[in-house]
Amino acid sequence: MIRKLQAVALDCADPVRLAEFYAELLGGRVVADPENPGWVEVHGFEGTPLACQRVDGYRPPEWPGRQHPQQLHLDFDVDDLEGEEKRALALGATVLERTDRIRPGANWRVYADPAGHPFCLCLH
């Protein structure tokens, strides 16, 4: 039986840059292995660690998209949607959709990290 989910790995062109983004966003720390510069992890926050993996010729997903579908996205619980949006944008995220403003009852917004992966900030 599987004991636990070890990590969620995100493909990207620059694993250090992406790991720094998520470390700042989540209040974690970057854990790099000098022997393997193509794999950088983010630890020190509540939840499963994130890993950022270098992929040659990386092409970011499109949201919403059919040619380069997102395939995976991350959801993060927040207490202050406006404040966390400002912080995420200052760290290099971009807004994809302010869902809470266009769908009645929605409590989330969709963003792209610096490598183009979609993620949501969810008000709880």
Side-chain angles (χ1 to χ4, degrees), residues 2-123:
I2 295 172
R3 290 185 357 194
K4 70 175 186 172
L5 178 61
Q6 180 179 323
V8 173
L10 301 171
D11 290 349
C12 60
D14 184 347
V16 171
R17 169 67 182 108
L18 191 58
E20 289 171 345
F21 170 81
Y22 279 110
E24 286 293 320
L25 185 70
L26 299 171
R29 67 184 184 288
V30 174
V31 178
D33 178 356
E35 300 290 321
N36 187 4
W39 181 272
V40 180
E41 295 184 1
V42 181
H43 292 248
F45 60 93
E46 186 176 335
T48 301
L50 291 175
C52 303
Q53 174 177 267
R54 178 178 291 116
V55 172
D56 293 333
Y58 171 75
R59 293 182 356 187
E62 296 173 0
W63 189 93
R66 302 213 189 285
Q67 287 190 329
H68 305 283
Q70 65 176 331
Q71 299 181 17
L72 171 126
H73 73 273
L74 304 170
D75 287 348
F76 300 107
D77 287 343
V78 299
D79 293 322
D80 175 6
L81 194 53
E82 296 295 332
E84 290 303 316
E85 175 179 280
K86 288 178 186 173
R87 203 166 68 78
L89 295 177
L91 293 170
T94 56
V95 175
L96 296 177
E97 179 180 277
R98 289 188 174 102
T99 312
D100 64 319
R101 295 183 183 171
I102 60 174
R103 292 189 195 165
N107 66 337
W108 69 91
R109 295 180 185 170
V110 185
Y111 305 87
D113 68 23
H117 303 104
F119 70 93
C120 297
L121 298 179
C122 308
L123 184 62

